[in-house]
Each structure stands twice: as C-alpha cells, then as structure tokens.
Amino acid sequence: MKKILPLFIFLVLFSACAKVGTLNQSSAQKEFGQDSNYFLALQASDSGNEDEALRLFKLARKKASPLIAKRSAESLTILGSVKDRLEAATYLADNYDDESSLVTACRTFFQNDEFATIIKRTDKISLETAKNELIKLRLLSLAQKKDSRFDSEFFKWFVSRQISSEHLETYGAYIARLNEKNLNIQNETEKFQKNLNKRSLLESQLEPEEPVPSQNGNADPGSAADSTETAGDNQAKLPSIEPEEGFEPLSEALKEAENPEKTIIDYRIAVFHRSYKLTFPQIDKIFKIYENRGEEIDSQVLSDIGKATLYGTSDYFVSARKFDQLAKKLSPEKAYFAYFYAARLYDKAGRYPTQTISRFKNALESTKDELQFDNCLWYLLNFQLRTSTDDIISTLTEYGSRIHNAEYFDDFFESLSILLLSSHRWQDFYRVWKQTNSNFSPLTQGKYAYISGRLIEEGLARGDEGLKTRQALEAFMQVLNSPSSLYYKVCALERLNVTAPDLVESYILRQNEPEKKIEDNGEGNLLLGYAAFGFPQRLYTEWLANRKNISVADSIEISNFLAKCAERSKDSTYNVQSLRIAARTFESAGGNIPKELLKQNFPRFFKEIIDKACKEFDLPDYLVYALVRSESFFDPNVTSKAGASGLTQLMESTADDQAKKLKLGENYDILDPETNLRMGTHYLANLISRTDEKNELLALYAYNAGLTNVRNWGRSFRNDWSTTGRPMQKPVGISMDLFLESLPFTETREYGRKVISAAAMYAYLYKGILPSETVREIMY
C-alpha cells in the first residue's frame, strides 16, 4: 500500500499538470530520446520502484545529454545500497570537476563515514573561496580522523570569511577537540602529581638524621661518623631523580591548551551575535594576541573590531583617533577598515564633518575591492545628504566612474529625491540628473528623467537654454528610450499623450538593451522535460538556480505550464511560481519582449471571483487585479510580518469591520479567496468614497498606509505648497505624480508605483484601454 499511494498521487498530479495539446508520455519519450530515461527514473523513484529507478538513472548517466547525465549521477548518490551510493559518489567526483558535484559526492561520503576519502579529495580546496559546506565536510572529517590539520584550517577558515551557519555548525567539533585536550591535561596532571608525590617521598628519605646527643650533651664523634657513613650508603642505594622528571608531557599538554585562536574565534562569534558591549572591552586583548603571533591582524577580525567599537564605545571621538593611528600601521588593504570605521566614528561624534569626509575618501583610495568601494561610497554619499547637493555632485564626479553596482545606490538616490523635493530644491534635483546621470542604474535614470521633465513642465525648475516644453519632452523621451521601470514608462506615455497602438506596444515591450546571449547548457531542455513528464514541483527551484542560462521562450513556456497546473490542480502555489518566473524574466530580459510574457506578468488568476466582487461594488476590475498583484502576488495563504492576510492583505481588525458590514458573521475564513477578495474590494470602494475628490490613488495610499495618514499628508502638502505662492492643484496642492514622489513612507511610494503600472497594464492587455488613459483616470 505504501508504494501504491505515492504512485496514485503522482498520476493525479501528472494528469492535472500534463502540457495541454503538446506531449503525451509516448511522445515525450520520443522527443527527449535518451534524456527521457532520467525523467522515467524519477517517475519510478516516486512510485517506489527503486530498482527500476537505479537502472534508468545509470542508463541516463551514460547516454543522456551532459546536464541530464549529471543530474542522473547526482540522483544515484541517494539511492540503493551503501555500496551503490558510494560508487555513485565516486563516479560523480571523478567525472565532474565543478565544486557543486564535489559537495554532493562528499555529502554521501560523509553520511557513510568515508572521512579519509573526503580529506583526500578536498586537500587542494581554498579555505578562502571554496563553498562553506565543502569546507565544513572536510573539517568534520579531519575531526573524526583526529587529524592535526583541523586546528590550523579551522582557524584560517574562521578568520578569512564572513561567519556562516556552516562555521557555527563546525564550532561544536572544535570545542570537542578542545575538551579532548583538556582531558589530556587532566591525565598528565594526575601523572605529574603522582611523580611529584613519589619524589617528595624519596627526598624525605634522603634527609640526614639528627645526631643523637650523648648524655653529657655532646655528640658522640664515633656515632656521628657512623651516621654519616650510613646516610651515604643509603643515598647510593636510592634511585636518582631529576627535578624535571614527569614535567615534560604536562608542559606539552599545557602548551597545546594555550589557545589564543579560540579567543579570536569566540570574539568573532560574539560580534556576529551583536554582543558589542561584551566585545568592545576585549579589543586590546585581540590586538595583543596578533602582536604576540607577529602577524598583521586579519581583515575580517579588523572589521569585527570596527563594528564592536562603533556600537560599543561611548566616546566616538577618542575611538576615531585610535583608528586613525591604527591606519598608519597597516597595509593599504587593511587600512581600508581603519579609515572606514574612523569615518563612521567621527560621524557619530557629531562635530567633525571634515574628518568624516577625509577618512571616507582615504578608505576609497585604499581599497581595490569593488564591494568595499561601493559600500564606502554609499556611506559617504548618505553622510553628504546632511551637507549639500554640491558635495554630492562633486563626490559622484570624482568617484562615480568607479561604481561597480549602480543598483546598490538606488536607495540613496531615492532618499536624495525625497530630500530635494520635500524641501523645494527643484533646481538641485534637475542639476543632479544632468550632472550625474551616468552614475544611475536604469531604474534611477528613468525616475530622475521623468521627475526632471515634470519639474520643467510645471515651471519649478529651469532647464537649459531653449523652450521649456521641448526640454520636458526630451526628458520624457529619455524615459521611453532607456531601460526604465514600467511605472515611469506609462507616466511618460501619459505626459506625451501617445495614442498610436503600435507605438504604445513598442515602448512597453522594448527593453532598450540588447538581447542578452544565453549560455544554454541544457537547462532549458531539463525544465521542459520536467514539464513534459509531469514534475511541476521541480520547476521553480530549478529555474531559480539556473535562470541566467534559460531563454525567454523557455521561461514563458514554463510559466504558462505552471499556471495551467494551478488551474487544474487548484494549487495556488503554482500560480505564485508562474508569476515570479514571468516577473523576473520580464525585468531581466533585453531586446523586444513577447507580449505573451507581458500577459503572464499580469495574469488574471481568480478571475471569476474578482469579476464578481468588482461588479458587486462597482469597481474597475483592472484596479482590483492591480491591488491583488501588488499586495499578495496572488498568494491566498500569505501573511505579512505586520499580520495582514490573504489575497488583499487585510489586517484582522479591518477584516472584522468589513465582515460586520457585509454580514459575514464571526466565523468567516480570512484566507478563503472569495471571502478575502469580497472584503478587500468592499474596503477599497469605501476608501474611494471617503477621500477628497473620490480620488482612486489617494484611496490606494489609504489602503496601504491608513486613511488618517493620507489626510494628514494632503493637509501638510496643501499648507506647504501655499507658501510657494503658486496655484493649488486638487486634491493635495501639487500634481499627484509629484505628491507620490514626495510621500514620507518608502513603502507607500513604491506601492503607488506598482499599483498604477499594474492597473495600466491590466486595462491595456484585457480592455484595450491605453496606458495614458488609465494613468490619467487614477491620478487626476
């Protein structure tokens, strides 16, 4: 029965998720040829037929295409007898030279106590760059074999890498070895004590006896002579005992127990757990250990000392000066950390802007590491948010060309945008766009271009020489002709009033970057095989691991297959996976994107329920689809950290209130899709009716951040705008798009962008409504 039940479940799932109108089992075998043995082996394994699975996996390992042959080799390491698994692990390690294969093989070796094999096969790996899991397996094997290399390798690994779960898991073996050493000390101490006691006893026997006094009080000369002679005879008969006898083994054991490395390791663990008040007082001790070792302090340990100081000291200025002095003693590579933390400490001290900027720049000049450079520059720029726009532009001019990852700075430019717009520094905003545009990520490029165009259009910023209207149009065209986000594209289409359907589609589907070349090493074929043979549960994980090597066409097919699986099996997990694949593919693709992918990126899951709710509460369906996509990504079972639940992400108190208004009773199920969608749609309709001008965008903000916040923001913006002497715009004083960009909540700003762009796409794809019309309806 145990074998029949998994087979029954598999057949039901396979039937539900078989590709519609494509391949049946026979056709699939014909199309995939020798590769089909792998998929048939998976079917046999799932049905409990292990012998058949072993046979087919071995056949696929020998005759399938390279990637599927490798997957077959990996699968064999967990099937069959111990002998079978070890043979499979050996084959995998011998025939594949990539690190992931070695990890898989070593897992099997470790599970079967083949510790010597692991040690031999990992002798040449780098402790600084190899996968942490592989190093963990090696070290645990060294510990099992009581190999003396464990101590030095464990320490080197611990001080050369950021601490990971594998480090902490291996720490137990390290402590076990220390306990063995302590037991050795105890044993040697006991031996030494016995020798010491024996020596004390023998030495007591060597002490000369007091001469016996005569009756007249004088010693008998004859007796004394006899006594001395006797003592000499006794000394000659006793064994010779050296003072050091029995001490050498104990000395060696004690020397082995002197473990400054453990102090450093424990220090790193404490910093990892943010025990800064505990670790800050230990800094001098750590430096002393390295001084005694005659070594320059390790970079990771130095970084830990910086963190411990930054969050553990009460005197930032004194600590900053210490790091200044330390930087002079270190190599440039390590001086980076000293300068970096000196800068941050001067910043926290509060009155030393010149020193702060100087040390950040010293750090930037000290490092060749791209990630360190980006991180340091990010901190410098965020510090300069408190100084001037001129400083920011100057810094970006000086260092911007060395930025490694432009996306790393998106949040900084978002903060800068809020600062400049909320303080009415519109001309500074325009200057940042014009002078530092080359440092922007595609997202930030579109954002700054669109807002600059709107500031020129509204007369809030002066552009270059020439007509204001023309310069605004040029800014909006840059949005459309650069890899900008969908939100700024649909807003630019609205400002330019683009109505020609072919042109609209061209701008939406064109990513403005060359189509990326895909190095498909069989990843696409593997995914299509999983789909053809009915393994939807394997698709998303495999796609996620190899998405850079999977074509847009294959991603579309897999996304479509998962959506059909969700429809047939009623498992909404596949809906979410389908949408995630489509969304990530859309964001990363270059060239012209197929319209089918756009539809998969904006699907109409739960269509019957949503259409019914929209009709009941008189809301456009594209608005509700956009809300559900933005709130839950169509996952009916999701619950946020704040406690919001279901497709429309309702808080419990809001759900209770809506349930009363809709007369659902007290026993409603907030995760039931129909109930949740009905309550969420009713709640949105109610918010629209309560906002100024019945504005849909303000209602969406209220849905995300609360109606009270939205009313306060509107009042604040109207009052603030009135000080400019410029005409008021309804309903919040300024235009709604600039209002969105100035909102104080990051989450609400991003939420507004997501919902507007999604609503524009749903209306465009399924209603034939131009994006410009939807943007105008929601915003104005």
Side-chain angles (χ1 to χ4, degrees), residues 496-753:
L496 294 169
N497 197 29
V498 179
T499 58
D502 291 346
L503 199 55
V504 170
E505 183 169 308
S506 172
Y507 282 129
I508 290 174
L509 297 179
R510 190 173 65 204
Q511 290 297 79
N512 306 305
E513 285 186 343
E515 187 173 352
K516 297 176 181 178
K517 292 184 178 180
I518 301 296
E519 293 185 12
D520 189 343
N521 297 313
E523 291 87 354
N525 186 58
L526 176 63
L527 288 171
L528 295 176
Y530 284 142
F533 286 87
F535 293 100
Q537 71 277 17
R538 290 176 173 266
L539 283 171
Y540 182 67
T541 303
E542 190 77 44
W543 181 90
L544 201 60
N546 298 289
R547 62 186 181 277
K548 293 181 179 179
N549 296 330
I550 297 170
S551 69
V552 171
D554 287 344
S555 292
I556 289 174
E557 190 162 353
I558 296 308
S559 175
N560 185 50
F561 173 74
L562 287 171
K564 284 183 167 56
C565 284
E567 183 181 345
R568 294 187 171 206
S569 66
K570 307 302 180 185
D571 185 346
S572 59
T573 301
Y574 295 129
N575 276 338
V576 179
Q577 291 177 354
S578 170
L579 180 52
R580 284 177 177 164
I581 289 174
R584 293 195 180 199
T585 303
F586 185 84
E587 290 168 3
S588 62
N592 293 321
I593 295 174
K595 194 168 184 178
E596 184 181 359
L597 178 60
L598 188 65
K599 281 194 171 186
Q600 289 176 338
N601 196 20
F602 297 97
R604 292 190 295 177
F605 299 138
F606 303 99
K607 182 179 185 304
E608 184 178 337
I609 302 172
I610 290 177
D611 288 351
K612 182 179 178 182
C614 289
K615 185 176 181 180
E616 181 179 2
F617 302 113
D618 195 25
L619 284 182
D621 61 356
Y622 52 81
L623 191 63
V624 177
Y625 278 118
L627 180 142
V628 173
R629 185 187 186 281
S630 302
E631 288 284 355
S632 65
F633 232 50
F634 291 97
D635 185 350
N637 300 309
V638 68
T639 298
S640 73
K641 292 180 180 178
S645 300
L647 289 168
T648 61
Q649 287 292 278
L650 295 172
M651 297 296 290
E652 186 176 345
S653 56
T654 304
D656 285 343
D657 184 51
Q658 297 307 306
K660 289 176 184 177
K661 292 177 179 179
L662 295 171
K663 298 180 181 179
L664 299 178
E666 296 181 356
N667 296 322
Y668 67 89
D669 181 2
I670 195 172
L671 295 179
D672 172 65
E674 185 168 4
T675 302
N676 189 282
L677 280 165
R678 189 163 178 249
M679 290 193 297
T681 305
H682 178 263
Y683 180 47
L684 177 61
N686 181 258
L687 287 173
I688 292 172
S689 69
R690 296 167 64 190
T691 56
D692 295 338
E693 306 290 321
K694 291 183 170 38
N695 186 278
E696 292 177 349
L697 185 54
L698 290 180
L700 290 166
Y701 292 153
Y703 195 101
N704 178 262
L707 186 58
T708 300
N709 277 328
V710 173
R711 284 174 172 169
N712 289 339
W713 292 338
R715 189 180 306 112
S716 174
F717 273 77
R718 283 190 293 270
N719 293 339
D720 184 47
W721 193 254
S722 67
T723 64
T724 67
R726 298 173 184 275
M728 287 278 187
Q729 296 186 41
K730 292 183 179 182
V732 291
I734 64 174
S735 65
M736 289 298 291
D737 54 349
L738 293 180
F739 176 67
L740 182 156
E741 300 294 347
S742 306
L743 290 174
F745 287 6
T746 301
E747 180 186 336
T748 306
R749 291 195 303 274
E750 187 55 33
Y751 180 78
R753 294 173 188 137

Side-chain angles (χ1 to χ4, degrees), residues 259-367:
N259 200 340
E261 288 85 358
K262 183 178 185 298
T263 302
I264 296 172
I265 289 167
D266 289 346
Y267 185 85
R268 292 215 67 205
I269 292 174
V271 173
F272 176 77
H273 289 295
R274 301 181 182 179
S275 301
Y276 302 123
K277 295 298 182 184
L278 174 67
T279 52
F280 175 65
Q282 303 297 316
I283 289 174
D284 289 341
K285 184 177 181 180
I286 299 299
F287 277 121
K288 189 66 176 177
I289 290 173
Y290 276 96
E291 182 183 333
N292 292 339
R293 292 165 66 94
E295 298 174 358
E296 191 175 44
I297 191 166
D298 290 288
S299 295
Q300 291 293 335
V301 179
L302 187 56
S303 178
D304 287 344
I305 286 174
K307 293 173 188 173
T309 305
L310 188 64
Y311 301 112
T313 187
S314 57
D315 194 331
Y316 301 116
F317 178 75
V318 170
S319 295
R321 293 290 300 274
K322 287 182 178 179
F323 275 97
D324 271 345
Q325 295 301 314
L326 177 62
K328 298 174 183 177
K329 303 175 184 178
L330 298 171
S331 62
E333 176 190 356
K334 293 177 182 177
Y336 164 84
F337 295 99
Y339 285 129
F340 176 75
Y341 283 105
R344 295 190 65 189
L345 287 161
Y346 278 125
D347 180 18
K348 291 193 79 170
R351 302 191 303 275
Y352 305 96
T354 302
Q355 289 91 332
T356 300
I357 293 172
S358 172
R359 300 312 181 271
F360 273 134
K361 289 188 174 183
N362 286 342
L364 289 170
E365 297 300 334
S366 297
T367 185

Side-chain angles (χ1 to χ4, degrees), residues 414-529:
E414 179 81 359
S415 298
L416 178 61
S417 171
I418 289 292
L419 173 66
L420 297 178
L421 294 176
S422 62
S423 57
H424 298 177
R425 292 157 63 184
W426 301 304
Q427 195 62 37
D428 279 348
F429 190 100
Y430 177 82
R431 286 177 55 223
V432 170
W433 172 53
K434 276 296 184 181
Q435 297 182 39
T436 65
N437 187 39
S438 62
N439 306 134
F440 293 157
S441 71
L443 174 67
T444 301
Q445 283 178 1
K447 172 188 173 67
Y448 271 71
Y450 175 77
I451 296 173
S452 293
R454 290 290 291 120
L455 293 174
I456 294 170
E457 197 174 38
E458 294 277 343
L460 301 174
R462 300 182 309 278
D464 302 326
E465 293 183 5
L467 292 174
K468 177 179 72 174
T469 305
R470 181 175 179 179
Q471 292 182 63
L473 292 178
E474 288 175 352
F476 298 142
M477 286 305 299
Q478 181 177 329
V479 176
L480 295 177
N481 290 316
S482 64
S484 179
S485 74
L486 197 54
Y487 167 74
Y488 292 110
K489 279 193 176 184
V490 297
C491 287
L493 288 171
E494 189 276 329
R495 299 317 301 170
L496 294 169
N497 197 29
V498 179
T499 58
D502 291 346
L503 199 55
V504 170
E505 183 169 308
S506 172
Y507 282 129
I508 290 174
L509 297 179
R510 190 173 65 204
Q511 290 297 79
N512 306 305
E513 285 186 343
E515 187 173 352
K516 297 176 181 178
K517 292 184 178 180
I518 301 296
E519 293 185 12
D520 189 343
N521 297 313
E523 291 87 354
N525 186 58
L526 176 63
L527 288 171
L528 295 176

